[in-house]
Amino acid sequence: MTIYYSYLASPIGDLLLAGDGVNLHLLGFPEGKMRTRHQEIWRPDDTIFTEARNQLSAYFAGELQDFDLPLSPQGTEFQMSVWKALTTIPYGSTRSYGEIAGQVGKPKASRAVGAANGQNPIPIIIPCHRVIGSTGKLTGFGGGLPIKVALLNLEQRHRPFQLSAS
C-alpha cells in the first residue's frame, strides 16, 4: 500500500498528515514524544488531504468543533475501543482516564487507557488532548503539555455558550 503525506502549517507547528489516499492514518506532531516525520518510502501529495487540511484549519480558527473525515487508525482491539470513546468527548469538555475506562467497560483499566491514549495515531481529530487526570491535572500528551494546554484553551475560548438549568 502506498502512503501519501503532506504537512500542514498550524498554530502549534507543522503537522504531518499521512494516509492511503482515502483514509487518514496518522497526524504527527512537530514536537513531543509523538514527534513524527514522514518516511522516505512515502509519497508527498498535498492534494489528497485537502479536506483534512480545511477541517484542521477551521478547527484552529475556532470555526469547527466536530471533524468528519475518513480515518483508519491502526491498533489493538482495546486501543480502538479507547480511541472510539475519545471521539464522544464533546468539544471544550474533558474526561478522566477513569471515566474513559468505565466507558469502554474496563473500569479498573485507567492506566491502560492512558497508554492507549498515548498511542493515538490521529490526535486532535481523535481528541486525546481532552483526557485529563482524575484530579483535573493535565498529564502527558504526545505533542507535549504546552500543546495540550493550547488545544484545551482554544476549545474553551470557542465553546458555545449554554445556560445551565438551575
Side-chain angles (χ1 to χ4, degrees):
M1 167 182 16
T2 301
I3 298 293
Y4 301 93
Y5 75 92
S6 177
Y7 286 91
L8 171 68
S10 82
I12 59 172
D14 290 345
L15 301 175
L16 170 65
L17 304 173
D20 60 18
V22 176
N23 299 296
L24 189 63
H25 293 227
L26 175 77
L27 187 153
F29 286 115
E31 303 294 331
K33 69 179 177 106
M34 293 299 286
R35 180 181 186 269
T36 309
R37 306 308 294 167
H38 67 276
Q39 296 180 16
E40 290 298 320
I41 60 171
W42 295 358
R43 291 189 183 163
D45 190 331
D46 291 338
T47 63
I48 291 177
F49 302 107
T50 302
E51 188 57 27
R53 297 166 76 81
N54 290 342
Q55 288 188 32
L56 283 161
S57 294
Y59 169 82
F60 286 115
E63 300 165 354
L64 180 88
Q65 296 181 5
D66 297 304
F67 292 95
D68 183 18
L69 295 168
L71 306 178
S72 184
Q74 304 298 308
T76 66
E77 185 177 334
F78 179 75
Q79 288 173 326
M80 299 291 280
S81 71
V82 169
W83 300 336
K84 183 176 181 183
L86 299 179
T87 66
T88 68
I89 305 171
Y91 180 92
S93 299
T94 57
R95 297 288 182 273
S96 72
Y97 294 99
E99 288 173 312
I100 298 298
Q103 187 175 340
V104 300
K106 305 277 186 189
K108 297 190 184 294
S110 58
R111 287 184 187 215
V113 165
N117 202 51
Q119 294 299 312
N120 173 13
I122 312 175
I124 303 171
I125 296 168
I126 298 176
C128 52
H129 61 281
R130 296 179 188 157
V131 183
I132 60 174
S134 60
T135 63
K137 182 179 178 188
L138 298 184
T139 58
F141 184 63
L145 280 181
I147 289 181
K148 183 172 190 162
V149 169
L151 295 171
L152 292 172
N153 287 341
L154 167 81
E155 292 185 10
Q156 285 300 311
R157 280 194 311 274
H158 296 287
R159 188 175 181 187
F161 176 77
Q162 294 180 353
L163 289 175
S164 61
S166 38

